[in-house]
Amino acid sequence: MTTSEAVRQGPGDDQLIAEAFLRGDEDGFRLLYERWAALVHTVARRALGDSGEAEDVTQQVFIAAWRNRRGFCPERGTAASWLVGIARHKIADALAARARRARLAAALRSAPDAEPGPSEGRQAQQAVDRVVVQYELSRLPRAQQQVLRLAFYADLPQSQIAAYTGLPLGTVKSHARRGLHALRRRLEQGSR
């Protein structure tokens, strides 16, 4: 009998879903999502004020829940409260990323042009710089590339990178630090 069939047979649905989820049963995970995704989305939408961001947070919550399902302890609380707890952390990350983007946008609006002259020259130099950085980034070990791309192109904090990649947070931090040092060294050598 599948988890879906067992759940449809009577009371104790939440307990059966939680047990199946903890076993790594994909059907149990699907049922957990069907049961609690609307709650998580509502909490995220109310906190963020944006349905699109709430959808992203909801997805992140369930990815984190699946990857960290061994951290769920039914004796300490319900699946709903555990998921809302994860959602609070993901909402905080989303708000921090939003604040970083706002600060960057404000700084860009208020910054004077760094170089006088035609904007085409600056745009051409920026394009060359992007190509050089991309090339040097592609020469790094794959794990360092992935961490740096997620940090700088996807604007993810290291905790989300760890959740997304499945790497321990300390490893993510090490990859970021080593990758940035290697990039700096290579870019400085190229400018000489």
Side-chain angles (χ1 to χ4, degrees):
M1 174 178 344
T2 69
T3 303
S4 294
E5 292 167 345
V7 167
R8 289 190 187 104
Q9 287 185 359
D13 294 354
D14 289 346
Q15 183 179 349
L16 289 173
I17 291 171
E19 290 170 2
F21 171 70
L22 283 170
R23 286 193 310 269
D25 180 352
E26 290 181 15
D27 200 29
F29 177 66
R30 181 184 56 76
L31 290 167
L32 184 85
Y33 179 84
E34 288 174 359
R35 176 79 46 103
W36 300 114
L39 170 68
V40 170
H41 184 270
T42 300
V43 168
R45 187 173 32 83
R46 286 183 181 160
L48 297 168
D50 181 88
S51 188
E53 277 187 294
E55 289 173 18
D56 291 343
V57 165
T58 301
Q59 181 181 9
Q60 292 169 13
V61 166
F62 281 93
I63 289 170
W66 178 252
R67 287 187 176 150
N68 301 305
R69 65 186 171 276
R70 286 177 179 72
F72 172 56
C73 186
E75 300 83 36
R76 292 191 331 198
T78 65
S81 62
W82 183 65
L83 291 167
V84 169
I86 295 171
R88 284 196 332 260
H89 291 284
K90 298 301 180 185
I91 290 165
D93 291 342
L95 290 170
R98 181 191 290 174
R100 281 192 306 274
R101 287 191 304 270
R103 283 192 307 271
L104 179 60
L108 289 174
R109 283 191 304 270
S110 66
D113 288 339
E115 297 177 32
S119 65
E120 293 84 20
R122 283 193 306 277
Q123 289 174 347
Q125 184 59 48
Q126 289 171 347
V128 169
D129 291 345
R130 281 193 299 273
V131 170
V132 170
V133 169
Q134 283 289 343
Y135 171 72
E136 292 300 340
L137 188 59
S138 73
R139 294 178 57 201
L140 294 175
R142 185 170 302 281
Q144 290 177 7
Q145 283 182 45
Q146 183 182 29
V147 167
L148 291 178
R149 288 180 195 280
L150 289 170
F152 291 101
Y153 297 127
D155 194 29
L156 294 179
Q158 290 176 335
S159 60
Q160 284 185 355
I161 294 170
Y164 178 79
T165 62
L167 297 171
L169 182 58
T171 303
V172 168
K173 290 178 179 184
S174 295
H175 284 321
R177 186 179 64 253
R178 288 185 189 127
L180 287 172
H181 285 299
L183 273 177
R184 184 180 63 194
R185 225 178 13 260
R186 289 177 179 170
L187 292 171
E188 285 174 352
Q189 289 171 355
S191 66
R192 291 181 191 161

